[in-house]
Amino acid sequence: MRRTVSIFLFLILCTLANAQVKKTDSLLKLLSSVKEDTSKVLLYLRISAEFENSQPSKAIIYGKKALQLSQKINFNTGTISAFKNLGYLHAILGDYDATLFHYKESLREARRGNDSLKVGIALFNIGSAYRYQSDFKTAITYMLEAYQKIEPYQDKRVLAQVNNGLQLLYYYLPNYEKAVFYGEKAVNLARELKDDDLLLMALSNLSMSYKDMDRLDKSASLLDEALKLAKRANDINAEATVLLNMAGVYLEKRDYRLLEHFAQKSLTLNQQIQSKEGECISLRALAICYLQNKNYQQAMFFIEDAYKIAHSNNYKIEKASCLKVMSNIAFATQDVEKGELYFKESEDLTQEIFKESYMESTAMYEKKYEVEKKNKQLLLQEATLAKRAFLIKSLIGSTMTLLVVFLSVYFYYKSKQKLQAQKIRELEKEKQLAATEAVLKGEAQERSRLAKDLHDGLGGMLSGIKYSFQTMKGNLIMTPENQQAFERSMDMLDSSIKEMRRVAHNMMPESLVRFGLDTALKDYCTSVSKSGALQVSYQSIGLANYTFDQTMAISIYRIIQELIGNTLKHGAAKNAIVQVTKSDNLLAVTVEDDGKGFDTNMIELSKGIGYTNIKHRVDFLKGKLDINSEEGKGTSVHIEFEI
């Protein structure tokens, strides 16, 4: 019975595939009978659309033919459509430079044709291309400009596509609430239009936001509907994407059997349509699956293949994700050095992609869009007032009244403009502080977790091994040579335990959590002095009975740690002083050394992240930073905070 059902399903699929082939064949036969005019351009584009989800490389051939004929007969609409079609096909293949080129050509042709709606669509497509390349700052610029041009037309189909694109952009920023807001709008418009293709894309993208908001059942439900639509349309590209999203849901549910199942199916489909990005993500999903099943060799095999694809195609987000998985595999195999190296590379790349300025830019451009919209309304109001003033002038012949009206409008506008500018500055500052706080808290939590895992997990194991060796020693009879080897092994084990505790302490000092900032700083300075690399004198005033907020304490500790680290790396100093003074509501931190000093004008030009980390933490705590240094005369850094 089961075999009969399988054969029946196979026959249905074959029938659908044969129907698709027959449709394509009939369109190809028409080519010889159609004249070299706009009809043939439209036929080329239709044939390209038939191939785009199953054979995108073949679809490109007919897209190019449509473009060449459109340019030959000066068919502007066909040229715009052909460039847009080629941009989409290159996006499927993961060639985003070619995607951006064709979308920009589409915009140029749309502007030449003076069609505002097509210009808006082209701008939106360019924004999507920049999103593919992880350039979210540029993407939001184009997409919001596109939305401004498209919205007045109230074209539901185009608005559905724009809302779907915006939900993807906010998902990657990430801003899941806004992503869901635009995603639900896209889904509702697609349902209203009864457009399965639009609905499929919107459902698939919306599921990702719900997954990351930990609403896994909702995400799975959306994906089930999307998968049915993809199979019904025989859209291999969409099916591969939906399967990959389902793999992500089951990863969150810790169902690794289904994770492997969906990831493997997605990998096969992505390789079939030559989608490099999809292949990369599928390989990473399989690596995670084998990592969870403790098959580390197979996990590393898949993740290395994924990393090669991400690196060669400059998929920055995927590259950072691959490095994070490689870090986890290294830690799982107790290769701490490689684990820390991969983790740092991943964090650096993530910081490069999602800079705080992206969040600031989003707020800025959204505000710009709203301000421009209000300005248009204000200009309309001004026009109405001017007309009324003209009528009054005509009726009573009073130029004074017109002057008063215009002056009133002018001062009202200027006053309102000042208030809006002040409000924008306040909102931008709040956004920046919120983003910085999230980064710092996330860093502290991750360091604390890793430190605890190292100390409680690895530390306990090493201590247990040492105890076992000591117990065994009394029951063993060893030669003098074996006795020496045993003692050396015990010494190496002691050194390993000390090194592990040092690493864990650097990640999150236990004394900071248990005894507070003053004790932690004192211990840190003492440990640096004992190392012999630098003699650090620590002084504190007014800290003995004061308890700091944990976020503030960690930030101050990291600032001082970074400053002493800079002295060790670059200062060539012999002595340093760390002084922390609390007086009323003011906390002052001073770090001085007798090193070689430097030109302070070079700080802003430095590419190192040390100074940037210090400045971000000081700004987050609303502090004031003052650096004084001259070559050959040492360095003095003074920071003040209000507490």
Side-chain angles (χ1 to χ4, degrees), residues 247-281:
V249 171
Y250 286 102
L251 171 62
E252 295 297 322
K253 286 190 172 187
R254 301 179 185 276
D255 188 339
Y256 303 120
R257 183 183 62 81
L258 286 176
L259 164 61
E260 182 181 7
H261 170 73
F262 288 118
Q264 189 62 61
K265 288 184 71 174
S266 175
L267 176 62
T268 302
L269 293 177
N270 279 307
Q271 288 173 335
Q272 180 180 335
I273 62 174
Q274 300 175 356
S275 173
K276 290 298 179 183
E277 186 175 28
E279 183 180 352
C280 178
I281 299 171

Side-chain angles (χ1 to χ4, degrees), residues 244 247-248 251 256 259-260 262-264 266 279-292 302-303 306 318 325:
L244 201 52
L251 171 62
Y256 303 120
L259 164 61
E260 182 181 7
F262 288 118
Q264 189 62 61
S266 175
E279 183 180 352
C280 178
I281 299 171
S282 300
L283 288 167
R284 179 165 60 84
L286 286 170
I288 293 170
C289 178
Y290 283 106
L291 169 62
Q292 296 298 332
F302 281 111
I303 201 61
E318 266 311 298
V325 175

Side-chain angles (χ1 to χ4, degrees), residues 190-429:
R191 291 193 195 281
E192 186 178 339
L193 292 165
K194 296 181 180 179
D195 188 324
D196 287 349
D197 290 337
L198 277 175
L199 182 59
L200 167 59
M201 287 189 295
L203 288 169
S204 179
N205 294 333
L206 184 58
S207 72
M208 295 191 299
S209 295
Y210 278 120
K211 183 202 73 173
D212 286 359
M213 294 170 75
D214 208 30
R215 295 181 60 181
L216 302 179
D217 291 335
K218 175 70 174 178
S219 179
S221 172
L222 294 172
L223 289 170
D224 284 338
E225 184 180 358
L227 186 60
K228 291 175 185 176
L229 292 170
K231 288 182 176 178
R232 190 163 67 194
N234 194 30
D235 190 336
I236 298 174
N237 179 50
E239 186 179 351
T241 302
V242 173
L243 287 168
L244 201 52
N245 289 345
M246 292 184 100
V249 171
Y250 286 102
L251 171 62
E252 295 297 322
K253 286 190 172 187
R254 301 179 185 276
D255 188 339
Y256 303 120
R257 183 183 62 81
L258 286 176
L259 164 61
E260 182 181 7
H261 170 73
F262 288 118
Q264 189 62 61
K265 288 184 71 174
S266 175
L267 176 62
T268 302
L269 293 177
N270 279 307
Q271 288 173 335
Q272 180 180 335
I273 62 174
Q274 300 175 356
S275 173
K276 290 298 179 183
E277 186 175 28
E279 183 180 352
C280 178
I281 299 171
S282 300
L283 288 167
R284 179 165 60 84
L286 286 170
I288 293 170
C289 178
Y290 283 106
L291 169 62
Q292 296 298 332
N293 289 326
K294 298 184 179 180
N295 188 342
Y296 304 127
Q297 184 177 0
Q298 194 69 10
M300 187 57 78
F301 171 78
F302 281 111
I303 201 61
E304 284 179 347
D305 280 353
Y307 182 83
K308 288 175 185 176
I309 294 173
H311 181 71
S312 61
N313 291 278
N314 199 27
Y315 300 152
K316 291 184 180 179
I317 292 177
E318 266 311 298
K319 191 175 176 181
S321 299
C322 288
L323 285 166
K324 186 65 71 68
V325 175
M326 291 166 80
S327 171
N328 291 336
I329 295 171
F331 280 123
T333 55
Q334 299 184 8
D335 191 342
V336 177
E337 185 178 352
K338 275 192 177 180
E340 289 180 342
L341 176 63
Y342 291 139
F343 181 81
K344 185 178 184 306
E345 289 179 357
S346 173
E347 290 296 298
D348 289 346
L349 186 55
T350 302
Q351 188 177 21
E352 178 187 335
I353 299 169
F354 300 107
K355 289 180 181 176
E356 294 171 1
S357 60
Y358 284 1
M359 298 301 292
E360 295 171 8
S361 298
T362 303
M364 181 181 72
Y365 285 112
E366 284 185 324
K367 184 58 66 176
K368 179 183 176 183
Y369 170 72
E370 291 298 326
V371 169
E372 287 177 353
K373 197 172 181 180
K374 289 179 181 178
N375 283 342
K376 284 186 178 181
Q377 294 173 350
L378 191 58
L379 287 171
L380 185 62
Q381 291 173 3
E382 287 179 345
T384 304
L385 289 171
K387 186 177 179 180
R388 288 178 182 174
F390 178 77
L391 290 173
I392 293 171
K393 177 183 175 183
S394 301
L395 292 171
I396 66 175
S398 174
T399 57
M400 187 61 69
T401 305
L402 181 63
L403 180 62
V404 170
V405 171
F406 273 105
L407 284 174
S408 299
V409 172
Y410 174 78
F411 287 117
Y412 170 75
Y413 176 75
K414 294 297 284 186
S415 175
K416 192 172 183 180
Q417 195 176 47
K418 287 181 180 178
L419 289 172
Q420 287 176 340
Q422 183 179 353
K423 191 173 181 180
I424 289 170
R425 286 195 296 270
E426 291 173 355
L427 288 172
E428 286 178 344
K429 192 171 182 180

Side-chain angles (χ1 to χ4, degrees), residues 562-626:
E562 192 76 53
L563 289 170
I564 293 296
N566 286 342
T567 300
L568 287 166
K569 291 177 190 174
H570 314 296
K574 294 182 179 179
N575 300 286
I577 297 173
V578 176
Q579 188 177 69
V580 184
T581 305
K582 179 189 172 295
S583 177
D584 296 329
N585 294 328
L586 187 69
L587 182 72
V589 176
T590 302
V591 178
E592 296 181 351
D593 66 59
D594 60 358
K596 62 183 180 181
F598 62 94
D599 183 3
T600 55
N601 293 322
M602 299 300 292
I603 292 177
E604 296 295 339
L605 301 176
S606 173
K607 294 184 179 180
I609 63 172
Y611 172 75
T612 304
N613 285 340
I614 293 169
K615 192 172 186 305
H616 280 171
R617 294 181 192 279
V618 172
D619 289 344
F620 167 64
L621 297 175
K622 299 179 181 179
K624 297 177 182 177
L625 174 64
D626 182 33

